Amino acid sequence: MSHAPTGVIERPTPSSPTPTTSLGSRSLPRLAPLGFAAVSIALGVGIPLAVGWHSRIQWGLLSALFFLVISYIVTTVVENQRQARDRLATSVMWVCFLVAVVPLASLLWTTIQRGAERLDGYFLTHSMGGVLTDDPTGGVYHALIGTLEQVGIATVISAPLGLLTAVYLVEYGKGALAKAVTFFVDVMTGIPSIVAGLFILSIMLMGGLEPSGLMGALALTILMIPVVVRSTEEMLKLVPNELREASLALGIPKWRTILKVVLPTAIGGITTGVMLAIARIAGETAPIILLVFGSQLINTNPFEGAQSSLPFYIYEQYKVGSIQAYDRAWAAALVLIAFVMILNLVARGIARWKAPKTGR
């Protein structure tokens, strides 16, 4: 009886290799969504035209529906159902994005197209003083001055108050007082602009005050403060606690830590929040109608006499109803959009300039 030599290990007989599994042996090309979109647009436009539907909204909705259905079916057939569900979720996201962007882009294009016809240097440097309703002349200078002063006063009041309130809620606020402040900020965020105007109007009637740009700015302040508080509060919460703890561990007082560490770290988001609040109040019309009354003449004193503003000017010209007034309204709307856009660009520049350096 023979035995295998000591120390010799017998090798097993090699068997057939085990097949590897994969999620799918086939995959769609990267440009497949573009093909789906092209086919969907062709079907979404062609079928309604054949039926007699001429609404572009119907074309867009049908194209979006065809895009979702085609992408899901083709992905299921070519790849697998798991990839099809993933592509369907991505397609729904893109469709929702387009549904939100297309109306905004259409509004912006229409405003630029209609407003550029009347917008020029004369329009920006002249008022409506002595201009008849059917006169093609006249400008927006008095309304632009009113908007700059009213929004500027509201910002000067709202930004410090909102910032200090947010610092209190995040850094110091505890107990019933902090909960009450948070509750009232949430309530103020949703109040209609006409309510703020009526509140200031009641103060004017009780105090015997006259309409002025300051009264309108106070109403805009009520609308702006909760937006500044809420946006600043969220930005301060994003600052890592490790930064605060490191500063306090070095013996630096808490107020100085907030001033030198917390606020500079969140300055980008705080500035963006303030700009969003300015954009929120720049287009308000109801408080201005109640408290400022509007004026055809140039009034550079916001503390005395009626003033105009860009939203009120647009409403006023639209109410006139003539072709010349409509042209002036579209041009004023373009000026208002440009005003908000410039503010956002300035805010981004300040945020980038003041942002803390991350380099070594």
Side-chain angles (χ1 to χ4, degrees), residues 108 336-346:
L108 181 61
L336 182 59
I337 292 177
F339 172 73
V340 175
M341 186 176 297
I342 291 172
L343 286 178
N344 280 274
L345 292 177
V346 171

Side-chain angles (χ1 to χ4, degrees), residues 110-170:
T110 303
T111 305
I112 294 175
Q113 186 180 23
R114 297 289 299 274
E117 299 177 357
R118 184 66 182 82
L119 184 61
D120 52 19
Y122 178 87
F123 183 76
L124 294 175
T125 56
H126 287 75
S127 68
M128 291 296 295
V131 178
L132 300 177
T133 57
D134 295 334
D135 196 335
T137 60
V140 75
Y141 180 74
H142 62 298
L144 183 59
I145 292 297
T147 294
L148 291 174
E149 291 182 347
Q150 294 160 24
V151 172
I153 293 173
T155 303
V156 169
I157 299 174
S158 303
L161 290 178
L163 177 61
L164 294 176
T165 303
V167 169
Y168 166 75
L169 292 176
V170 176

